[in-house]
Amino acid sequence: MIAEPNAASTLPSQKENAVHDETVPESPTQNGTCVRNGNLKTPREKRKVREQCENIRRNSPASRRVSQLQNGEVVEAVTLFEVVSMGKQAMQSVVVDWVEAYKQDRNVALLDLINFFIQCSGCQGMVTAEMFQSLYKKDVMQKMTETFDKETGLQYKKFMAYPWILTVTWPMDMDNEDYPLIRTGPYWKKFKANFCEFIAVLVQQCQCSILYDNYLMDTIISLLTGLADSMVRAFRHTSTLAAMKLLTAVVSVHLNLDVNKHNAQRLYEVEKKRLSGKRTSYRLDQLERKRKEYEHKLLEIQNMMNAIFKGTFLTRYRDVIPEIRATCMEEIGNWIKTCPDAFLNDSYLKYVGWMLYDKQAEVRLKCLLGLQGIYSRKELVSRMDLFTNRFKDRIVSMPLDKDHEVAVQAMKLLMLMSQNCGDVLSAEDCEMLYQFVYTTHRPLAVAAGEFLYKRLLSHGGDKVQPKGGKFGASTDQLKRLIHFFLESELHKHVTYLVDSLWDWAGKFLKDWECMTTLLLKNAEEAGEALSDAQESALIEIILATVREAAEGHPPVGRGAAKKILSVKEKKIQLEDCTKITEHFIMVLPQLLAKYSTDAQKVANLLQIPQYYDLDVYSTGHLEKHLDALLREIKDIVAKHSDMSVLEASSRTYYILCREEIAIYSQVDCARTQMIDELMKQLNQLLDCFWQKEGGFCMDAGEISRMHSTLRRVAAFHNAHDLTKWNLYDKTLRFLVFETEHGSLPVLIILPALQCTYFSLLWQLAAVSENSPKETLFPLRRQLRHFSQICTCFLHHKEKDAFMILCDWLLILSHLDSNNNEDAVGLLGYLPNTELQEKLFSFIQEHVFMDGEEEKKDLAEEEKDEACKLDDLHKKRSLLAAYCKLIVYNVVEMTAAAEIYKYYVKTYSDFGDIIKETLSKTRYNDKIQSAKTLILCLQQLFQTHAESQDSSNGVDFSSPSFANIKELARRFSLTFGWDQVKSRESIAMIHKEGIEFAFQGATGGDGKCLPPNLSFLLIISEFSNKLLKPDKRLVITSLVSAVQFGSGSLHFRDTSRYSYLQRYITEPLACRGDKWQPLVWYRNSLLSNEDEQSSVLGSLGEWPPVGSSKTSSFKRKLSNGSVPETSQTEAGSKAPEQQCVSQLSSAAGKSRKRLKSQEMHLQEHLPFLCPGGMRRRYCKDEVKTEDVSEEGPEDTVEDVDVIGTDQDS
C-alpha cells in the first residue's frame, strides 16, 4: 500500500484530515508514512491492511465490496489490483465506485490508483509519498533519482507524481524476470487483458467529469512517465503498457469530442441562418458556449496526448525489451487508424517505418499489422505516398523474413498495397513475389497465391468475356496460369502451385470439363489448341488438382501431418471425388488414345484412376468405359518401355483389381490376358536367346526387345504376384550365366535381377505360420544364392544392383514371417565382414569420390544443371540405402565411422543424411554411438600423424588438423543443450579420448611425452558438454568407479588416468610447449571460475566452496573476514599442500584478483602447467593484496538497465 501524505502536508479540506487521522497510524518516517506493498494472501494480512491503510476508507459509501468464491470461501477484494485480477465482471462497478471516491476525496483515491500501478508491476517493496511543496525546480530534479543503498542493500526510485513525490523501495533480489505482465498461464493472460480494459473503462467513465480537472490526468501521466524511465524492467514494461493504453483511450475521447464539436458547429450555423437579421437568441448563445467548451476540451485532450507521446512513447519505442517496443508499435498503429487526422502524417509514420528493421520478429510483426489497417482503407492511402516511397523496398523484401508469421503478414500487406496503391509495385517486384507460391511454408504460399490470383490470373477475367462460349473465362485464366507455370521453369513443383491457389482459385481449378475440352480440341479450331509444352503443363495441373480435391490435404513438404477434415470438408471431398469419377471415366480413355505415344503425358494421366470412386462403374452401368480404359492401358504397355509409364500402368491395374469391388473379375481377366501375352513374348525371346549359344550372336534389336520385355514383366511383378508363371527359374538362368561368363549386356542383367528379386519377395510373403520346414530349406538356398549373385554384380555402373542388395539385406535381417519363428531362424541373414567391406568400398567409390575421380568430375562442367542434380540424387539414394543398413543394425555401427569422416567435407550434399544417421544410431545405443564418433576422430588423427614428420610432432596449424577439430566441434553440436541426456555419451568420449591420448607412453614416472597427446585438443571440443561434476571427475579420474546417470562407467585402467592428474600437479613434467595440449585440455575443463575453484578444491589445491555457501561467503568478504584453515588440518597435509593451504586464505578473499595474477604470469611463463607450481610463484603477490577493494564488486549483481535514449 502507499501511505497518504502526513499531517504536515496541505490537504484540500478538513474532511480529508479527519479521514487521515482515523485511518493512518503513526509512522517514524520523516517525509511520509510507509506501509508494506505486496500481494495479500492470508485473511489476517487483509484485516491488518483494512485497519491501517488509508486507501480503504471504512466510512465511505463508495467503498468497494467485491467478493469472489475461491476454494469454497468468500474472498473479499481489498485493493484495485485484486479486483482487476478477479475478472471483468466487477470492472464497471469498481471504476464507478472509484470515481465517486475521487469526487469525495481525490488525494485518497489517487493514492489508491497509484498503488494499483505499483502492484501491477509486481513490486513487493515499500512505497512512501510526500507532498510536493517546493517551488524550485532544482530541488525537484534532485529528488528524481534511482539508485542503490549500499548500507541497507535496497534499491529505491524517487520520482514525482504531481502533486506528490513518490519513493518506491524494493530489495535487490527482486526478480525482474517475474512480474504479472510476463507470467505465463491463462490467469495472467486474463489479468493483462483486464489491466488494459481497466484503463479504458476508467478514461471512458471520467470523460464527462473529472478528466478535465487538471489534477487526475496530470498525476497519472507524471506517474507513468516516471515509472517508464526506470532501470527496472517490471516498472518500465507495466508503465509503458499503461501509458500506451491510456493514450489509446484518450484518442477515443478525442474522436467523440471532435464529432460533438462538428455537430455543435453545424447546429450553430443552422441556428444562425435561421435567426439572421434578428436579435441574438439564448439558443444561439448556448450553442456558442457548447462549441467553445468542446474546443477547450479538445485542447486539453491534445495536451494530454502530446504529454504521453513525448514522455513515454519517444523514450520507449527503442527500448531494449522487445515486448515494450512491440507494445509501442501496436498502439501507434491503432492511433493512426483510429484518428488519422491527428496521427496520419510522416511525423508519426516514420517510427513505424524505422521499426520495420527491428531485430525482433514480434516488433516487425506489430508494424506490419498496423500498416495493414492503414493500407486497407483507400481514403488513407493517398496520404501515404512519402512513406510508401521511402519504405516500399523494405516491405517488398520482408516475405523473405526468417520468421514465418512476419513473412505471411508482409505478403498480405503487399496484397493490400497492390490493390489500393495503383502501380506502386513494379513488374520486377511482382515477379519476385509470385515465386513465393512455391515455398514450403503453406500460410506464406497461400498468401502469395492470393497475390498471384488477384494480380495476374483474375485480372480482367470477369470484366471481358473472351471467345469460346461457356468456358471462355476459365480458358483465359487457365492459359495465364499455364504461361506463368512455364515461365517459372519449375515443372516438378506444380502441386505446390495448385495448393497455393486452391483457397482462392478453387472454382476454376475444379473446372475439369474446361481443361479436358481444351486438351481434346483440334488444331484446326481457329488456333485454340495448345502447344506441346502447354499440353504437358495442363496435364500436370489436372493431375495436381485431382489429387488436391481427392486427398483434401496439402502435398508432402507442406505441413507436418495430414490435417483432420471437418464434416463440411469431408462432404466437399466426397462430392469432388464423385465429380472426378463421373467426368474422367468417360474422358480419360479419349485422352490416353490421343497422347498414347507421349510417355510423360501418359504417365501423368494414368495416375488419375487411383482417385476414382470405383463403385460408380457398377452403379452407373459404365462398364463399357472400363473396357475402353483397359484396352488403352494394354496398348500403352505394348508401346512403351519407360519405367514411369509401366509403373503407372501396373499401379492402375492394382487399384482396379481389388477383390471387394464389383469390377474385380472384369479387370482380373484383362490383367491375366495381358500378362499371358507378355510371358509368351518373353518365352519366345528366351528360346531364341539360348539357341544362339548364350546370346553371343544377339544383335542390337534383339537385345532391345529382350530389355523392353523384361522391364514390362518386372514392373508388373513389383505389384502383382506372378509366381504361377515360374519367372524365377527363367531369370535366374540369366544371372548365373553372367556370373560364369560375364558377357551379357547390362540392359538385360538389371531387369532380370529385378524380376528375380521380386519373385523371391513374393515367395517370402507367402510363408505362413504353418509352413513346414521342408518347404523352407529350398527357399533358404535360393535366398543365399541370390545374395551371392547380388554381391557379384556390385561392379556394374548402373548402381541398381547395390540398391537391390541393400534392400534385400534389410528385408532378410528383419523377417517377420507371420509369427513363424522357425522361418525367421532359417531364412534370416546378416552380411559377413567381407560383404560389409565391399558395400563400403562401393559407397566410397561412387559417392565419396576422391583424388583423380573428383578432378575428372570437376572437368565435366559442360553438363547442364539437370544432369548434375540427377547425379547428386542418385548418390544421395546410394548413401541413404547404406546408412539404413547401419541404423537397423544390418551392418556394424563402427562402419559409420568411415561415413562420419565426410560429414564436414560433404555437408552441403550429404550432411542431412549423415546427421540423421548419427541421430538414429545414438537413439539405438548411446554408448556404442559415442565410441563410433571417437573412433572416427582417432582414425583421422592417426592418418594426420602418419603424414607428419615424427621428429617435429603434430602440427597444430596444419589444415588437416584444423579439419579434425572442426569435425569434433560439429559432433559436439549434435548433442544439443540437454547435458543430462547426453551425459553417458560425452563421458565415454572423454574416457576413450584420454586412453587414446596416453596410449603408448613409456616410463614408470609418467614423464615421457605420450605420442598421441595432441589428441586432447580434439576431445576438448566436447568439454563444454560435460556437467560440472563430470568435469571434476575427469581430472580426479583415479577413482576406481564413477556413476553416470542410470548406468555405471568403470575406469578400470587407472594407470593411464594417473597421467592427467600427475601432469597437472607435478610441475617438473610440464616444461616445453610439447605439453601444451594437456594445458589446453585442462583449461577447457575449467571453463569458468566456479568450476575452477571446485575442481582444485577436490585436488587439495583450493579450499572448496559450495554453491549453497555463496551468499554467506560474500557477506564474509564484505565484512573483511576470510575462511581460515585449522592447525590440525594444516599439520596433516603434505609439504606441498601445506604451501598451498597458506594461499587458501588469500585465494578465498579474492578469486578474481588471483585469476588476473595467473593471467599475468601466463604472459611471462606461457608453458607452465597450471597447478601447484603456479600457486607458489604467485603466493607472495597474492598475500599483499587489499581485500577491502573487492567487497563492493562481490555484492553487485546484474540489473536490467536501460537509459531513456538507449537504442535496441
Side-chain angles (χ1 to χ4, degrees):
M1 293 300 169
I2 300 179
E4 185 181 343
N6 56 20
S9 303
T10 304
L11 298 179
S13 64
Q14 185 65 26
K15 181 177 181 181
E16 294 176 3
N17 286 327
V19 173
H20 168 74
D21 294 338
E22 179 182 357
T23 58
V24 180
E26 295 182 358
S27 173
T29 306
Q30 181 179 358
N31 294 328
T33 306
C34 294
V35 182
R36 189 69 179 173
N37 176 20
N39 294 333
L40 305 179
K41 298 180 180 179
T42 64
R44 181 177 180 181
E45 290 177 350
K46 294 179 180 179
R47 286 195 302 269
K48 183 177 180 180
V49 171
R50 284 197 293 268
E51 293 173 357
Q52 295 182 354
C53 181
E54 74 283 2
N55 296 335
I56 303 300
R57 298 163 59 242
R58 302 175 183 174
N59 300 329
S60 173
S63 61
R64 293 181 298 277
R65 291 294 181 266
V66 181
S67 61
Q68 181 173 330
L69 189 64
Q70 294 182 357
N71 299 327
E73 297 181 359
V74 177
V75 179
E76 183 177 348
V78 178
T79 64
L80 279 173
F81 176 79
E82 293 181 349
V83 173
V84 172
S85 300
M86 285 183 177
K88 299 181 180 181
Q89 293 82 1
M91 197 75 67
Q92 190 73 28
S93 60
V94 168
V95 173
V96 172
D97 290 346
W98 184 88
V99 172
E100 293 297 325
Y102 179 86
K103 292 178 181 179
Q104 296 180 16
D105 191 338
R106 62 184 185 179
N107 287 334
V108 173
L110 269 177
L111 286 174
D112 199 6
L113 185 62
I114 292 170
N115 179 68
F116 165 72
F117 288 115
I118 299 298
Q119 280 188 305
C120 288
S121 301
C123 181
Q124 303 295 321
M126 307 286 287
V127 181
T128 62
E130 58 181 299
M131 292 297 293
F132 169 52
Q133 296 176 340
S134 175
L135 300 178
Y136 298 98
K137 183 177 181 181
K138 183 178 179 180
D139 297 338
V140 177
M141 296 307 296
Q142 289 178 351
K143 297 176 181 293
M144 307 299 109
T145 60
E146 181 170 353
T147 186
F148 172 71
D149 192 338
K150 299 178 181 179
E151 296 181 359
T152 61
L154 298 178
Q155 204 166 0
Y156 65 90
K157 177 178 179 63
K158 184 175 288 189
F159 59 95
M160 185 175 68
Y162 186 85
W164 294 287
I165 296 177
L166 299 179
T167 303
V168 184
T169 306
W170 64 94
M172 272 300 298
D173 60 352
M174 175 181 173
D175 190 359
N176 286 332
E177 300 298 329
D178 183 23
Y179 53 94
L181 290 186
I182 64 171
R183 290 174 185 165
T184 58
Y187 176 82
W188 294 110
K189 289 183 179 180
K190 185 179 179 181
F191 169 80
K192 183 178 180 180
N194 295 341
F195 175 74
C196 298
E197 187 190 0
F198 173 80
I199 298 173
V201 173
L202 179 64
V203 174
Q204 180 184 6
Q205 200 66 31
C206 299
Q207 64 178 335
C208 298
S209 55
I210 60 177
L211 193 65
Y212 312 100
D213 64 352
N214 295 326
Y215 191 82
L216 172 64
M217 292 301 294
D218 291 347
T219 303
I220 296 177
I221 293 173
S222 60
L223 167 71
L224 298 179
T225 303
L227 288 177
D229 195 28
S230 172
M231 293 186 297
V232 180
R233 170 178 176 170
F235 291 152
R236 208 164 64 249
H237 188 185
T238 306
S239 59
T240 302
L241 176 62
M244 296 300 99
K245 293 298 181 181
L246 181 65
L247 182 51
T248 301
V250 171
V251 167
S252 300
V253 175
H254 181 276
L255 288 177
N256 295 334
L257 287 175
D258 193 54
V259 172
N260 294 335
K261 174 191 170 183
H262 286 298
N263 292 338
Q265 180 69 25
R266 188 174 66 254
L267 290 175
Y268 175 80
E269 293 175 355
V270 171
E271 188 70 18
K272 188 175 182 180
K273 289 181 181 179
R274 188 176 65 84
L275 299 174
S276 61
K278 300 182 180 180
R279 293 183 304 172
T280 303
S281 65
Y282 173 76
R283 172 66 175 167
L284 196 62
D285 294 339
Q286 186 181 20
L287 291 174
E288 177 66 16
R289 287 194 300 272
K290 198 70 173 177
R291 184 177 62 84
K292 291 182 178 180
E293 178 185 353
Y294 287 139
E295 289 179 352
H296 176 71
K297 288 184 177 180
L298 278 173
L299 182 60
E300 290 191 11
I301 289 294
Q302 290 174 358
N303 292 334
M304 295 176 193
M305 291 162 56
N306 291 332
I308 299 174
F309 186 83
K310 295 179 180 178
T312 303
F313 180 88
L314 290 182
T315 58
R316 296 278 68 84
Y317 84 96
R318 296 183 304 151
D319 195 282
V320 72
I321 305 301
E323 291 87 349
I324 297 178
R325 303 198 301 271
T327 299
C328 294
M329 291 301 105
E330 180 181 11
E331 295 306 318
I332 195 174
N334 293 333
W335 305 335
I336 297 174
K337 183 173 60 176
T338 305
C339 188
D341 294 336
F343 291 97
L344 187 55
N345 55 68
D346 297 325
S347 299
Y348 295 97
L349 286 171
K350 63 182 180 182
Y351 301 111
V352 181
W354 291 343
M355 300 311 288
L356 287 173
Y357 297 88
D358 194 272
K359 294 181 180 179
Q360 295 295 325
E362 181 184 4
V363 183
R364 301 194 298 271
L365 180 62
K366 296 299 183 183
C367 295
L368 292 172
L369 293 175
L371 291 174
Q372 286 179 14
I374 300 172
Y375 278 101
S376 61
R377 297 168 59 180
K378 289 187 177 181
E379 68 275 11
L380 303 181
V381 172
S382 59
R383 300 159 63 179
M384 298 280 292
D385 292 339
L386 184 60
F387 177 87
T388 303
N389 294 332
R390 170 65 179 81
F391 295 102
K392 185 203 75 171
D393 293 338
R394 169 57 181 164
I395 297 174
V396 170
S397 67
M398 290 187 77
L400 293 169
D401 197 282
K402 63 181 181 180
D403 185 83
H404 291 317
E405 187 61 26
V406 172
V408 171
Q409 298 304 326
M411 184 62 71
K412 292 182 178 180
L413 175 60
L414 289 167
M415 181 69 252
L416 295 173
M417 294 174 65
S418 174
Q419 289 179 335
N420 300 327
C421 295
D423 297 330
V424 66
L425 297 178
S426 63
E428 292 78 10
D429 295 334
C430 293
E431 289 295 330
M432 188 271 290
L433 295 174
Y434 291 155
Q435 301 304 314
F436 284 97
V437 295
Y438 297 109
T439 185
T440 56
H441 184 60
R442 191 173 191 274
L444 177 59
V446 171
E450 179 188 7
F451 184 84
L452 173 64
Y453 177 70
K454 294 182 178 179
R455 179 88 182 183
L456 181 66
L457 301 182
S458 65
H459 181 67
D462 298 329
K463 296 179 181 179
V464 181
Q465 182 72 17
K467 296 180 180 180
K470 64 176 182 177
F471 300 124
S474 297
T475 301
D476 189 46
Q477 288 182 337
L478 277 174
K479 289 184 177 180
R480 285 198 292 266
L481 178 61
I482 294 170
H483 177 73
F484 167 77
F485 176 59
L486 294 176
E487 288 292 326
S488 62
E489 298 180 353
L490 294 172
H491 63 284
K492 294 183 179 180
H493 294 73
V494 65
T495 54
Y496 285 82
L497 174 61
V498 170
D499 181 62
S500 301
L501 293 170
W502 195 255
D503 294 345
W504 306 103
K507 183 177 180 181
F508 94 87
L509 288 177
K510 293 180 183 179
D511 194 353
W512 295 294
E513 185 179 357
C514 172
M515 297 179 187
T516 53
T517 302
L518 195 60
L519 285 173
L520 293 173
K521 279 185 178 180
N522 296 321
E524 294 80 12
E525 297 183 15
E528 290 289 334
L530 302 175
S531 64
D532 181 70
Q534 291 175 331
E535 287 178 340
S536 299
L538 182 54
I539 290 175
E540 291 185 26
I541 292 173
I542 291 175
L543 177 60
T545 55
V546 168
R547 181 187 294 114
E548 186 85 15
E551 294 181 351
H553 58 80
V556 177
R558 276 195 181 167
K562 297 181 180 180
K563 67 176 184 179
I564 301 176
L565 301 179
S566 62
V567 176
K568 182 179 179 181
E569 290 174 335
K570 288 181 179 179
K571 182 180 179 181
I572 295 175
Q573 182 184 13
L574 292 175
E575 292 175 353
D576 289 340
C577 286
T578 303
K579 183 179 177 182
I580 291 169
T581 306
E582 292 175 350
H583 176 70
F584 283 99
I585 275 179
M586 295 179 287
V587 175
L588 184 60
Q590 303 176 35
L591 293 174
L592 291 174
K594 181 177 180 179
Y595 302 108
S596 61
T597 57
D598 193 317
Q600 181 183 0
K601 296 174 184 176
V602 168
N604 288 326
L605 289 171
L606 284 175
Q607 297 182 51
I608 295 178
Q610 63 182 301
Y611 304 106
Y612 280 2
D613 180 8
L614 297 177
D615 293 331
V616 175
Y617 274 115
S618 56
T619 57
H621 304 289
L622 301 174
E623 287 82 1
K624 63 177 182 179
H625 296 288
L626 177 62
D627 290 334
L629 176 63
L630 294 175
R631 284 195 303 271
E632 295 298 334
I633 295 177
K634 181 180 178 181
D635 183 57
I636 289 171
V637 171
K639 290 180 180 178
H640 294 275
S641 61
D642 185 83
M643 284 305 296
S644 61
V645 177
L646 297 176
E647 288 176 355
S649 302
S650 176
R651 180 169 179 80
T652 303
Y653 271 108
Y654 177 79
I655 295 296
L656 298 175
C657 252
R658 296 177 186 172
E659 296 183 1
E660 65 272 10
I661 58 178
I663 59 174
Y664 168 74
S665 58
Q666 184 178 356
V667 179
D668 183 56
C669 181
R671 179 184 62 175
T672 303
Q673 182 181 359
M674 184 192 66
I675 294 176
D676 283 338
E677 294 180 2
L678 287 176
M679 296 306 298
K680 181 179 179 181
Q681 183 181 0
L682 178 62
N683 291 330
Q684 293 175 354
L685 291 172
L686 289 175
D687 293 339
C688 180
F689 176 82
W690 296 116
Q691 287 176 2
K692 294 183 178 181
E693 297 181 356
F696 289 107
C697 301
M698 290 182 67
D699 57 10
E702 292 177 340
I703 294 175
S704 177
R705 287 194 295 274
M706 178 72 74
H707 169 69
S708 300
T709 305
L710 285 174
R711 281 171 70 93
R712 294 187 185 100
V713 173
F716 276 87
H717 205 358
N718 188 10
H720 306 272
D721 187 5
L722 308 183
T723 306
K724 64 181 180 179
W725 280 274
N726 194 21
L727 188 62
Y728 174 78
D729 294 333
K730 300 174 183 178
T731 55
L732 182 64
R733 188 177 179 184
F734 270 121
L735 304 180
V736 173
F737 183 84
E738 170 63 19
T739 56
E740 294 176 353
H741 299 89
S743 61
L744 292 180
V746 177
L747 292 176
I748 296 178
I749 294 173
L750 291 179
L753 191 66
Q754 291 175 344
C755 290
T756 309
Y757 171 63
F758 294 137
S759 297
L760 291 176
L761 288 182
W762 282 107
Q763 293 184 51
L764 281 176
V767 175
S768 63
E769 184 177 356
N770 299 321
S771 298
K773 288 186 178 182
E774 291 74 14
T775 61
L776 297 178
F777 284 109
L779 179 59
R780 183 177 182 231
R781 286 193 297 270
Q782 292 176 356
L783 300 181
R784 299 296 185 271
H785 191 196
F786 182 72
S787 300
Q788 295 175 358
I789 291 175
C790 289
T791 305
C792 296
F793 286 124
L794 286 179
H795 64 277
H796 282 278
K797 295 182 180 180
E798 291 296 326
K799 308 180 183 67
D800 289 351
F802 178 82
M803 299 293 294
I804 292 175
L805 179 58
C806 289
D807 293 341
W808 181 247
L809 293 175
L810 190 62
I811 292 171
L812 293 184
S813 61
H814 292 76
L815 283 177
D816 184 16
S817 300
N818 299 319
N819 299 321
N820 192 336
E821 297 181 359
D822 295 334
V824 174
L826 288 173
L827 304 180
Y829 175 74
L830 288 175
N832 54 25
T833 304
E834 181 183 359
L835 180 55
Q836 294 184 27
E837 292 176 354
K838 289 183 178 180
L839 290 172
F840 175 72
S841 298
F842 185 90
I843 288 294
Q844 197 169 23
E845 180 182 355
H846 294 87
V847 178
F848 303 119
M849 293 181 294
D850 296 328
E852 298 180 358
E853 294 187 4
E854 255 188 18
K855 296 178 182 178
K856 189 184 299 183
D857 192 48
L858 290 175
E860 297 179 356
E861 293 183 355
E862 298 179 357
K863 289 184 178 180
D864 58 356
E865 194 66 24
C867 294
K868 293 180 180 179
L869 290 176
D870 188 57
D871 292 342
L872 178 60
H873 177 70
K874 291 180 180 179
K875 292 179 181 179
R876 287 174 58 85
S877 300
L878 293 174
L879 180 60
Y882 180 73
C883 289
K884 278 197 297 184
L885 299 180
I886 299 175
V887 170
Y888 289 101
N889 299 320
V890 180
V891 174
E892 293 181 0
M893 192 181 295
T894 54
E898 299 292 338
I899 301 295
Y900 295 159
K901 294 178 183 178
Y902 299 93
Y903 180 52
V904 176
K905 186 178 180 181
T906 63
Y907 185 81
S908 59
D909 294 335
F910 313 115
D912 56 335
I913 299 176
I914 300 176
K915 188 175 182 180
E916 185 67 15
T917 304
L918 200 158
S919 175
K920 295 293 185 181
T921 54
R922 184 176 298 156
Y923 177 80
N924 295 336
D925 190 341
K926 293 188 290 186
I927 299 301
Q928 188 60 36
S929 176
K931 289 182 177 181
T932 304
L933 290 182
I934 201 68
L935 176 63
C936 171
L937 297 175
Q938 289 172 1
Q939 292 175 353
L940 289 173
F941 179 82
Q942 287 178 334
T943 304
H944 170 74
E946 292 172 358
S947 64
Q948 300 290 321
D949 187 2
S950 59
S951 60
N952 297 329
V954 178
D955 184 9
F956 303 152
S957 61
S958 63
S960 60
F961 189 83
N963 292 336
I964 300 174
K965 276 185 65 68
E966 175 62 17
L967 181 61
R969 188 185 70 85
R970 296 287 188 94
F971 286 162
S972 176
L973 293 176
T974 61
F975 287 96
W977 294 101
D978 192 349
Q979 292 178 308
V980 177
K981 184 178 180 180
S982 59
R983 187 179 188 185
E984 296 180 12
S985 301
I986 296 297
M988 179 56 65
I989 288 175
H990 282 273
K991 175 182 178 296
E992 296 288 333
I994 293 172
E995 285 185 351
F996 178 77
F998 290 101
Q999 187 178 12
T1002 59
D1005 56 353
K1007 298 178 182 178
C1008 182
L1009 181 71
N1012 299 330
L1013 186 66
S1014 302
F1015 191 72
L1016 293 176
L1017 291 177
I1018 296 175
I1019 63 173
S1020 65
E1021 298 291 340
F1022 299 91
S1023 297
N1024 61 336
K1025 298 297 181 181
L1026 277 172
L1027 292 173
K1028 291 183 181 180
D1030 296 342
K1031 291 182 180 180
R1032 199 159 49 240
L1033 290 171
V1034 170
I1035 294 183
T1036 60
S1037 54
L1038 289 172
V1039 183
S1040 60
V1042 183
Q1043 296 295 326
F1044 287 90
S1046 59
S1048 298
L1049 273 176
H1050 299 284
F1051 297 143
R1052 304 181 185 276
D1053 188 3
T1054 58
S1055 60
R1056 292 177 182 172
Y1057 291 96
S1058 63
Y1059 282 103
L1060 188 57
Q1061 188 179 23
R1062 184 179 301 119
Y1063 290 128
I1064 289 178
T1065 56
E1066 294 186 12
L1068 295 178
C1070 300
R1071 294 178 179 175
D1073 57 352
K1074 293 183 179 180
W1075 289 94
Q1076 194 65 19
L1078 180 61
V1079 179
W1080 286 339
Y1081 179 58
R1082 181 258 189 189
N1083 291 339
S1084 71
L1085 296 173
L1086 307 178
S1087 58
N1088 58 58
E1089 187 179 339
D1090 293 336
E1091 293 173 9
Q1092 183 177 5
S1093 63
S1094 61
V1095 171
L1096 294 178
S1098 65
L1099 290 174
E1101 299 181 0
W1102 198 291
V1105 180
S1107 58
S1108 61
K1109 304 290 186 178
T1110 302
S1111 60
S1112 62
F1113 182 69
K1114 289 184 177 181
R1115 287 197 296 270
K1116 289 180 180 180
L1117 290 179
S1118 63
N1119 295 331
S1121 61
V1122 294
E1124 298 179 355
T1125 306
S1126 64
Q1127 297 181 357
T1128 305
E1129 294 174 347
S1132 62
K1133 293 183 179 180
E1136 182 176 346
Q1137 291 180 336
Q1138 290 179 0
C1139 181
V1140 174
S1141 66
Q1142 294 174 5
L1143 296 173
S1144 61
S1145 177
K1149 294 178 181 179
S1150 177
R1151 289 177 290 172
K1152 292 184 179 180
R1153 188 169 296 275
L1154 176 59
K1155 187 176 181 180
S1156 65
Q1157 293 292 341
E1158 290 180 356
M1159 297 300 295
H1160 175 71
L1161 285 176
Q1162 282 182 347
E1163 295 177 0
H1164 301 284
L1165 302 173
F1167 303 117
L1168 290 180
C1169 178
M1173 184 180 69
R1174 177 179 296 178
R1175 302 256 185 260
R1176 285 195 290 271
Y1177 277 129
C1178 61
K1179 175 179 66 174
D1180 296 333
E1181 297 184 24
V1182 173
K1183 293 178 72 173
T1184 60
E1185 294 177 9
D1186 187 6
V1187 180
S1188 62
E1189 295 179 1
E1190 299 296 318
E1193 182 180 348
D1194 287 338
T1195 57
V1196 176
E1197 297 183 4
D1198 294 336
V1199 179
D1200 188 8
V1201 180
I1202 174 63
T1204 57
D1205 58 346
Q1206 185 172 351
D1207 199 351
S1208 61

